[in-house]
Structures are given as structure tokens and as C-alpha cells.
Amino acid sequence: MFKQASRLLSRSVAAASSKSVTTRAFSSEVPSTIDSTFVESWKKVAPNMDPPQTPSAFMKPRPSTPSSIPTKLTVNFVLPYASELTGKEVDMVIIPATTGQMGVLPGHVPTIAELKPGIMSVHEGTDVKKYFLSSGFALLHANSVADIIAIEAVPLEHIDPSQVQKGLAEFQQKLTSATTDLEKAEAQIGVEVHSAINAALSG
Amino acid sequence: MASTAAVPFWRAAGMTYITYSNICANLVRNCLKEPHRAESLAREKVHFSLSKWADGKAQKPVLRSDAPAV
């Protein structure tokens, strides 16, 4: 794309010097005089100039995909207020994607998965750690790095079952009495989240 | 490209993803056992004052505060 650059840089000079008033589309002001000293100095400099760079030239190169599948998955699990796991090497994570529980092993196909309220389990050897996620995203990269982001993630022991039952009943009641679309949607979200927590506690 | 893809019910009702996600998070926080519940709700309190400007002067500020009394 930039092979043409030096030609383009000098082309504008040639065009400007041949016509003193050029009609250009989308321009509200047309210069009536061409500054010849500028044109001369530009002609001297133009062939030696590099074309302008684009943002991708300044970016660090993307991490390379290893040629053989790594044995461990590197997990970065972050919340807005804390970083739960940073670069932890594990065997597998199971994430609550909107399409169902998704198991992620090293070498997983690169995916961006939206998460629904549900349980995420991190498997390291025989150790399994479970968190209930409120919602979020999981970014799985080609180099077996998984970035999981959620707004709230709580261990199941921190949840109060009686509050969950109360909330579920309250939102089911709101769902029947809701009038506007927005109220219905909020009640529906309430029912879904509380049902998910219930299922998580009993499952 | 399917621009008629099925939208989630909350988006059909006019809600954005951030609003949906924040509602889910709030509901989860409200279901926690006591010390954790108080901590997480305290963490999420906001306090801000917003004023629009016109003709170089600040108009009446809008104050949003999750003061402990509320």
C-alpha cells in the first residue's frame, strides 16, 4: 500500500503547479495563489520522506501462538475492584456462557463468550474452586490465555439462601404485576439471576 | 450478515448491556451473607456532583449521593 507513497507525495506538487486554481470536491476554500518557494522546497524533500505511519506500526506485536498446544491454561480473572487470579496456570476452567457451561482447555479455539449469571469453576489438579459470577465476558486467546471479566464474583459459601428465596419470590411477584416493558425486563432479570443462584446452591 | 439477529429481552426493552450487567451484580450483592454484603454494598456507593455549563457559567449542579442514610 505504501509502495505508491513517494509517487503520491510528489503527485500533489505536480498537480498544484500545473493549474493555479483547482476545483476540488469537498473543499470550501480554494487557494488562489501557489507559494512557489514552498513548492520548490517540497520537491526537494518529498522523494526522501517516509510515508506517514499508521497506529498498527506503533503497537507491540501480538503474542505468538505456540506451535504445540501448551499443557496449562493461563487464567486472568478480574473484577472491577480486584484481580482475583493473575496469570494462574490451571488445567481447565468451566465458564457459564450464554450458550451453556463451556469447558476451556489449553489450546481452545480463540473465542469471545458472553457470560450469564452462573458458576465458574477453576480446575487445578484435583483442586476445584467455584465462584458465582453475576455476568461478564470471557476472552479466550490463541496462546491458551483466558481473560475472564465479571462485575461480581462470590464464592458459594458467601451466599445467603434465605435472601435468595425472598428475592426470587419478590421478583416473580413483580413479573406478574409489571406494566411497562422496562419493568418486565427488570423483573425478568431478577427472576433469572435468583433462579441461577438457587440452581448453583443446590447443584 | 444477519442484522435481524435475535436480541436479548433486555435489549428489546431498551436496556443497554451495562445497565443489565449492573442490575445482575446488584442482585447478587443483595444475596450475600452479612459481613460480605455490607462490604460489597459500601464498596459500590457513589457520590458525585454534575453541573452543565452555559455561557461560561455553571448551571445548577445535580448531586447524586448514596449517603448512608438512604
Side-chain angles (χ1 to χ4, degrees), chain B residues 48-54 57-63:
Chain B
F48 64 80
S49 160
L50 179 76
S51 11
K52 295 204 199 241
W53 288 67
K57 279 199 291 265
Q59 311 299 304
K60 186 167 187 304
V62 170
L63 185 72

Side-chain angles (χ1 to χ4, degrees), chain A residues 29 38 71 75 125 155 158 184 198-199:
Chain A
E29 285 156 26
F38 171 76
T71 46
V75 175
H158 290 194
K184 278 194 209 129
N198 250 335

Side-chain angles (χ1 to χ4, degrees), chain A residues 9-125:
Chain A
L9 282 171
S10 22
R11 175 191 72 177
S12 54
V13 177
S17 48
S18 62
K19 304 176 237 175
S20 50
V21 175
T22 53
T23 44
R24 292 171 298 173
F26 307 115
S27 75
S28 47
E29 285 156 26
V30 179
S32 48
T33 54
I34 306 292
D35 183 357
S36 55
T37 46
F38 171 76
V39 169
E40 290 313 310
S41 6
W42 178 253
K43 273 195 202 147
K44 271 191 231 143
V45 181
N48 306 325
M49 268 173 73
D50 287 328
Q53 288 182 302
T54 53
S56 41
F58 297 99
M59 270 172 65
K60 284 203 277 259
R62 304 274 76 214
S64 54
T65 310
S67 44
S68 66
I69 299 179
T71 46
K72 294 277 205 180
L73 184 67
T74 315
V75 175
N76 296 317
F77 177 32
V78 293
L79 306 172
Y81 53 85
S83 180
E84 279 291 327
L85 303 170
T86 329
K88 183 144 196 268
E89 305 236 316
V90 297
D91 297 320
M92 169 172 78
V93 289
I94 303 185
I95 53 177
T98 44
T99 51
Q101 296 288 111
M102 184 193 285
V104 183
L105 293 163
H108 196 282
V109 100
T111 313
I112 300 182
E114 187 192 334
L115 305 178
K116 64 177 183 220
I119 296 193
M120 178 185 85
S121 40
V122 180
H123 298 247
E124 169 64 34

Side-chain angles (χ1 to χ4, degrees), chain B residues 37-59:
Chain B
R37 181 172 193 259
E39 277 170 22
S40 59
L41 291 177
R43 188 203 309 136
E44 295 298 319
K45 288 200 198 298
V46 292
H47 176 102
F48 64 80
S49 160
L50 179 76
S51 11
K52 295 204 199 241
W53 288 67
D55 296 328
K57 279 199 291 265
Q59 311 299 304

Side-chain angles (χ1 to χ4, degrees), chain A residues 81 114 134-137 151-152 157-160 163 171 185 188-190 192 194, chain B residues 9 13 15 17 20-25 27-33 36-37 43:
Chain A
Y81 53 85
E114 187 192 334
S134 65
S135 65
F137 283 91
I151 301 196
E152 277 294 339
E157 304 81 52
H158 290 194
I159 302 180
D160 186 354
Q163 286 279 44
F171 279 97
Q188 180 74 29
I189 297 175
E192 276 184 13
H194 287 98
Chain B
F9 65 90
M15 205 188 278
Y17 179 80
Y20 163 72
S21 201
N22 282 332
I23 293 179
C24 288
L27 294 171
V28 171
R29 274 180 221 125
N30 279 318
C31 289
L32 296 177
K33 285 190 185 142
H36 310 284
R37 181 172 193 259
R43 188 203 309 136

